[in-house]
Amino acid sequence: MNKAGTRHVFFCSAASRYFKEEIHGSAANYNGFILLEHSDPFPEKIDQAHFDPHFIAGLQDLAKKRKAKLLLIRNRKTDFKSCRLIYVDCLQQRYLTLHSTLADVAAIRLEYYINNPDAIWETDPFFVVCTNGKKDKCCSKFGFPVFKFIENHDKAVTVFESTHVGGDRFAANAVCMPFGIYYGRVMVEDVDAILDATELRRIHYENYRGLSTRSFLHQSVECYLREQLRDFSIDFGFRIDAHEEAREHFNFTVTVNETQYRLSLFKKVIPYPYYLTCKAQKPGNVTKYLLETFTRL
């Protein structure tokens, strides 16, 4: 404690900003999300929620089977009587919403609806913002203002606050559904640009962490392609024609819009001088894929 009677408080997201850590290629890896509406304050862990533990365990098993992330969500429409259960398929860029009473939601067998050919799928974008301070205080400190700003925005975009989406030190973290687009270091002043870009089916690259359906390595390839080609469309895609590895070196031949490119990336483990999360007990390392060469073939 200093002479003024105050004590230094560590925020992992502030440290990451100070370190100038690159956020591109850092999105958590999921093919989908299971979103369960929760009216009470978020617990630290999902299995501490106020639902039947067998129901939660079943959703966790389904999430694991489908490489999805189970999140608790809520917004101003959340109440103590009704409950929404949403499955987001990021691979197909669609989602289905099931409405239930709170008393009956545990009886829902979500997988039946996912596999039902008559299920009603939606595609309108919406956002999930991590505000779970019990997981990391940065999530509530930086996430909650962003959530409230989007919730009260003139564009009337659907948004939920949620439990942890991954990436404490990149708070505030927001995910644009149903694409699985991860945004990090989002501040209130970034929201207009992100919402405007989404309306135009584009990404706001300054805050872009990556696409959840791709590995960290492939996210890095995507980001370098976007930077080189100046293409920030949500629908941006590429095909990997060849992939070679030699220790920490990765060579890719890819096709974008019928044109081939070759990229060489170097895997670098960087000693990180701060804690990776607010609750970490010791510093760690971060892994980045650095672009060495980029060539049009």
Side-chain angles (χ1 to χ4, degrees):
M1 188 172 291
N2 61 26
K3 293 180 180 179
T6 60
R7 181 169 51 183
H8 172 72
V9 178
F10 175 75
F11 289 97
C12 63
S13 58
S16 179
R17 286 176 185 268
Y18 181 79
F19 188 63
K20 294 183 172 58
E21 180 185 359
E22 179 64 72
I23 69 170
H24 301 312
S26 67
N29 305 145
Y30 301 107
N31 289 336
F33 294 83
I34 299 174
L35 311 178
L36 177 61
E37 195 167 22
H38 185 274
S39 55
D40 289 334
F42 293 143
E44 182 177 358
K45 297 181 179 180
I46 300 290
D47 56 15
Q48 296 170 339
H50 64 216
F51 295 98
D52 178 273
H54 297 291
F55 173 57
I56 294 296
L59 290 180
Q60 289 175 321
D61 288 343
L62 179 60
K64 183 177 181 180
K65 176 181 177 182
R66 291 187 169 268
K67 196 183 176 184
K69 174 75 169 176
L70 174 61
L71 299 174
L72 302 177
I73 59 168
R74 65 171 178 239
N75 61 17
R76 61 161 54 110
K77 293 183 179 180
T78 302
D79 58 41
F80 290 90
K81 295 181 180 179
S82 60
C83 183
R84 284 170 285 184
L85 180 60
I86 304 171
Y87 178 72
V88 183
D89 182 346
C90 296
L91 293 174
Q92 298 295 322
Q93 298 183 0
R94 62 183 188 172
Y95 58 95
L96 62 86
T97 304
L98 304 176
H99 297 268
S100 173
T101 64
L102 194 58
D104 295 334
V105 67
I108 293 177
R109 297 297 175 259
L110 180 57
E111 191 164 21
Y112 165 79
Y113 292 93
I114 295 173
N115 296 326
N116 188 339
D118 297 323
I120 299 175
W121 294 88
E122 301 176 76
T123 58
D124 291 339
F126 68 94
F127 287 84
V128 168
V129 181
C130 178
T131 65
N132 193 8
K134 290 183 179 177
K135 175 64 172 64
D136 194 298
K137 64 179 181 288
C138 281
C139 296
S140 60
K141 177 178 176 62
F142 298 103
F144 190 74
V146 170
F147 160 68
K148 292 305 293 183
F149 192 80
I150 298 176
E151 189 173 50
N152 292 300
H153 201 278
D154 291 341
K155 291 186 183 295
V157 176
T158 299
V159 62
F160 298 95
E161 59 177 321
S162 78
T163 49
H164 196 56
V165 301
D168 310 46
R169 68 187 186 277
F170 302 124
N173 289 294
V175 187
C176 181
M177 306 290 186
F179 313 104
I181 294 171
Y182 267 66
Y183 288 113
R185 293 192 186 140
V186 181
M187 305 295 283
V188 166
E189 52 266 33
D190 299 316
V191 168
D192 283 345
I194 291 173
L195 297 186
D196 287 345
T198 303
E199 279 191 335
L200 298 172
R201 289 191 68 86
R202 294 172 63 83
I203 61 167
H204 181 58
Y205 194 68
E206 287 77 0
N207 295 99
Y208 184 62
R209 289 181 56 192
L211 203 61
S212 70
T213 53
R214 293 188 172 127
S215 67
F216 293 130
L217 176 58
H218 288 178
Q219 286 177 39
S220 297
V221 171
E222 175 208 339
C223 288
Y224 289 127
L225 284 169
R226 286 184 179 276
E227 291 172 6
Q228 295 291 326
L229 303 178
R230 307 306 297 170
D231 189 336
F232 303 110
S233 167
I234 283 179
D235 302 310
F236 176 82
F238 62 93
R239 183 184 70 242
I240 296 177
D241 301 317
H243 175 197
E244 303 169 355
E245 296 184 22
R247 301 186 69 175
E248 285 80 24
H249 294 270
F250 301 83
N251 296 316
F252 288 91
T253 302
V254 303
T255 296
V256 181
N257 295 329
E258 300 182 358
T259 301
Q260 275 197 325
Y261 302 91
R262 186 170 179 82
L263 299 86
S264 297
L265 278 65
F266 173 68
K267 180 181 178 181
K268 184 175 182 180
V269 178
I270 303 170
Y272 192 71
Y274 309 108
Y275 299 139
L276 294 173
T277 70
C278 289
K279 292 184 178 180
Q281 299 298 309
K282 59 182 180 179
N285 298 321
V286 294
T287 299
K288 301 295 179 184
Y289 296 95
L290 308 180
L291 181 66
E292 293 185 306
T293 61
F294 179 89
T295 308
R296 177 173 175 169
L297 301 180

